[in-house]
Amino acid sequence: MNVDVAIIGSGPAGLAASIELAESGLSVVILDEYYRPGGRLLGQRYEDPKAPETEREWDGMKLALELVEQARKRQVEIRCGVTVWSVSPGWKIELGGADEKTVHAKAVLLATGAAERALPMPGWTLPGVVSVGAAQTFTNLHHVAIGKSVMVVGVDPLAISVALEMKHAGVNVVGVAMAPRSPMTEKLSSPSHALSQLAKAADLAPNPLLRLMGRLAGGRLGKMAVHALRWPLLQIEGIPVDIRKAVARIEGEESVEAVILQSVSANGVPTGREERVEVDAVCLSAGLYPLIELAQVAGCSLVQVPELGGVVPLYGSDLSTTADGLYVAGNITGIEGAKVAMAQGKLAAVSIAQAMGKSPTLPKEEAIQAVKRARALSPIRFLPDVEQGLAKMERLWREAWLSKEGDEAWRM
Amino acid sequence: MAANFRLPVAESSEKREQIAFTFNGQQVMGYEGEPIAVALWACGIKTIRSCGATAQPRGVYCGIGHCYECRAQVDGVANVRTCMTPLSRGTSVSSSSDWHIEGA
Ligand SMILES: Cc1cc2nc3c(=O)[nH]c(=O)nc-3n(C[C@H](O)[C@H](O)[C@H](O)COP(=O)(O)OP(=O)(O)OC[C@H]3O[C@@H](n4cnc5c(N)ncnc54)[C@H](O)[C@@H]3O)c2cc1C
Ligand code: FES
């Protein structure tokens, strides 16, 4: 198959990009390995009954269906159930799980999103232990409870959001507790760190979800972090969030039967007391990281920017990369909410259309501004220091171009 | 199977019919088009295979195709990720413990 643009990933970034690209007259195919389009939008659903009417609800599924419809109306081809395992300059895209094994395109947009970091701990391979994202998908998309009694491990915006979503769906969430201390979880297992990140996130995004979290402690969140955790137990809509207890291990024969909770100090050191809580499911949350494998295979430069979630492709303000004709949008550029992903998808599409001699539906500068607006209005914020991360990216991009002038072979 | 993990869903327009499929030869019911792993989980089957090295039970972890923990043999094809493979009538699913990369 030959197309103008191949998009990998049918999440909000890929879908929004496809619509804009088709509008400017380019042929587009979207490739996605999941069995239906929409990416992580499909499982996103939260409500804040106390928010202003227009912000009360975030219904990702509805949004995904709308975007898919708009894309299809514009002749965008969406192929699901195909895994892209290689992208090479030229551009050649190689597929698994499909009859047709290759797609040729003039430009490629990587919109592969994010994955969850693993949280290894004793007992974590038992059936019934899932990632918090799996719990979100099962609850909101498939309407299947992850358990009758569920413990959430990891205190961060996504974990708390999913705990609430489960509770609203009628699942008994017995609590949210810290990850146990291990060489892999140093920061994750520190109550002080978790709390300050949470407070920062809640302060920065005055939005339905985080407003909820800000309220969770009656506005005490920031103060709590400062006052060295004098209030160890928060209640979020009735769910106990115990930041001074960690789940030390998960127990069970054939599947999860219980978790062992252990008290910890303000920086996560176990202080001895253990208690056993019977549950049949455990959700682990260790944060998200950009899914960059294909960028690596494609040969564009990668950089380490912890403020954006880890290793990300080096990209410019128009979302181009160091590989000619290769663009990125959405969570592959840094971990943010779906609104930002959509605006980035549109921006990448504008850049691609322009590079291919087409006239996009809006000027690039406007698309750049729209990403900033989306960021300011985002209903969720995962990483508190995204702005610093973006500033760093700008600097690295500039430096790369400066050094390129003297050295043509600059690809990593 | 007595266990039922289905959540009540607000009145939905799509009326879905339960269909039969098999897991390790045993008949199970699920909704057409939902991922196989979801249908299994809904009736309480959380162990999909056993680990080739340790024989410990394994099942869904990430739910979206990243971890390969949920793989099984589906209609004769080995190492299929059941969390992202839609169910159809009569699908035959069985635990497998061998491992090679899907699509390779
Ligand atoms: C578990 C989880 C929960 C989240 N919850 C929320 C939330 O509640 N609210 C919120 O605003 N944001 C949430 N996010 C952030 C979320 O990533 C963004 O909201 C948004 O969905 C990102 O959009 P995207 O288009 O970049 O990627 P995604 O929506 O992640 O879509 C990427 C798509 O690419 C496909 N893909 C990836 N690699 C390949 C490949 N090699 N071949 C073929 N297809 C591939 C995937 O199947 C997927 O459909 C969550 C993220 C995760 C991982
Ligand atoms: S549960 Fe992770 S790939 Fe299926």
Side-chain angles (χ1 to χ4, degrees):
Chain A
M1 173 189 210
N2 282 292
V3 282
D4 290 326
V5 188
I7 299 176
I8 299 151
S10 68
L15 287 171
S18 76
I19 295 166
E20 172 64 30
L21 286 165
E23 281 282 305
S24 45
L26 294 164
S27 62
V28 186
V29 66
I30 304 185
L31 306 162
D32 197 300
E33 65 174 348
Y34 204 54
Y35 70 103
R36 57 185 293 183
R40 303 288 72 78
L41 269 184
L42 295 171
Q44 294 177 13
R45 178 173 182 85
Y46 26 82
E47 272 181 77
D48 178 4
K50 292 176 192 127
E53 196 154 356
T54 50
E55 296 168 26
R56 226 163 261 180
E57 204 186 52
W58 174 255
D59 187 343
M61 167 68 87
K62 196 166 139 216
L63 187 58
L65 293 174
E66 283 166 12
L67 289 170
V68 168
E69 195 194 318
Q70 284 184 44
R72 292 218 164 107
K73 240 197 256 162
R74 291 168 178 79
Q75 267 67 54
V76 170
E77 188 184 334
I78 305 178
R79 284 201 209 167
C80 286
V82 296
T83 303
V84 174
W85 59 272
S86 168
V87 173
S88 44
W91 287 95
K92 183 179 168 201
I93 294 140
E94 292 174 83
L95 309 173
D99 295 334
E100 209 180 332
K101 298 284 180 216
T102 48
V103 170
H104 295 273
K106 294 177 191 137
V108 172
L109 173 62
L110 297 179
T112 47
E116 285 184 80
R117 281 183 215 285
L119 184 50
M121 62 160 87
W124 78 303
T125 59
L126 277 171
V129 181
V130 298
S131 73
V132 76
Q136 187 181 48
T137 308
F138 270 56
T139 308
N140 296 339
L141 176 58
H142 305 307
H143 307 294
V144 166
I146 216 70
K148 304 281 181 203
S149 308
V150 181
M151 184 82 203
V152 178
V153 186
V155 178
D156 61 64
L158 187 59
I160 289 175
S161 166
V162 175
L164 282 167
E165 290 161 37
M166 285 194 280
K167 174 154 188 193
H168 289 162
V171 174
N172 176 27
V173 182
V174 302
V176 181
M178 299 295 300
R181 200 170 166 87
S182 81
M184 288 189 65
T185 60
E186 207 180 323
K187 272 189 174 169
L188 277 180
S189 61
S190 153
S192 307
H193 181 78
L195 210 52
S196 65
Q197 294 292 99
L198 214 52
K200 250 186 182 175
D203 277 355
L204 281 168
N207 56 62
L209 179 69
L210 289 161
R211 230 187 347 257
L212 210 72
M213 295 197 335
R215 269 208 318 269
L216 63 88
R220 300 193 319 236
L221 209 52
K223 250 193 288 173
M224 286 177 65
V226 177
H227 290 284
L229 317 148
R230 258 192 278 141
W231 299 273
L233 185 69
L234 315 174
Q235 291 270 345
I236 309 179
E237 305 212 336
I239 302 173
V241 178
D242 204 335
I243 45 157
R244 290 296 294 277
K245 286 196 181 128
V247 170
R249 60 187 183 275
I250 304 163
E251 293 184 343
E253 283 294 321
E254 288 299 306
S255 64
V256 174
E257 290 163 24
V259 291
I260 304 300
L261 284 175
Q262 182 167 39
S263 303
V264 292
S265 72
N267 47 22
V269 179
T271 54
R273 270 203 31 225
E274 285 192 352
E275 70 194 273
R276 182 182 154 97
V277 180
E278 286 189 14
V279 292
D280 64 344
V282 179
C283 306
L284 305 182
S285 183
L288 308 174
Y289 68 91
L291 215 51
I292 52 123
E293 279 87 347
L294 290 177
Q296 197 164 21
V297 173
C300 72
S301 298
L302 303 171
V303 287
Q304 168 83 347
V305 186
E307 296 87 346
L308 296 176
V311 177
V312 285
L314 179 59
Y315 56 85
S317 61
D318 66 348
L319 301 179
S320 60
T321 67
T322 57
D324 205 23
L326 186 76
Y327 294 76
V328 287
N331 276 196
I332 189 175
T333 69
I335 306 302
E336 300 192 76
K339 278 193 178 167
V340 178
M342 268 188 284
Q344 285 180 324
K346 192 158 182 165
L347 167 59
V350 166
S351 306
I352 295 172
Q354 223 170 55
M356 292 176 76
K358 300 283 179 185
S359 34
T361 63
L362 75 167
K364 205 186 271 183
E365 194 44 44
E366 249 174 59
I368 292 177
Q369 289 312 319
V371 175
K372 291 188 180 149
R373 270 199 308 279
R375 187 165 289 127
L377 294 172
S378 189
I380 190 166
R381 152 103 54 169
F382 296 94
L383 299 167
D385 302 320
V386 166
E387 278 80 6
Q388 278 105 296
L390 292 168
K392 203 183 216 175
M393 180 60 76
E394 245 177 70
R395 200 184 64 238
L396 292 168
W397 181 256
R398 254 197 327 271
E399 284 169 10
W401 279 104
L402 287 176
S403 68
K404 190 197 176 194
E405 312 223 308
D407 170 19
E408 270 306 304
W410 66 312
R411 270 186 208 148
M412 220 160 81
Chain B
M1 200 118 340
N4 178 12
F5 286 85
R6 300 263 177 210
L7 289 163
V9 184
E11 201 42 62
S12 91
S13 50
E14 42 173 330
K15 276 259 173 293
R16 297 193 303 169
E17 192 203 338
Q18 293 248 358
I19 54 158
F21 69 108
T22 61
F23 178 65
N24 290 338
Q26 194 183 23
Q27 180 171 311
V28 218
M29 303 298 283
Y31 289 117
E32 186 154 26
E34 73 183 351
I36 292 166
V38 169
L40 290 172
W41 194 286
C43 54
I45 301 173
K46 298 185 179 179
T47 300
I48 294 179
R49 62 182 182 97
S50 56
C51 174
T54 63
Q56 287 170 339
R58 287 288 193 280
V60 168
Y61 180 71
C62 74
I64 52 169
H66 295 158
C67 74
Y68 287 76
E69 284 294 310
C70 65
R71 60 192 190 268
Q73 181 163 325
V74 176
D75 289 332
V77 182
N79 295 316
V80 172
R81 286 171 286 177
T82 56
C83 71
M84 45 191 278
T85 304
L87 179 66
S88 37
R89 196 181 295 272
T91 298
S92 154
V93 185
S94 56
S95 306
S96 54
S97 57
D98 54 328
W99 165 241
H100 76 90
I101 291 170
E102 189 189 345

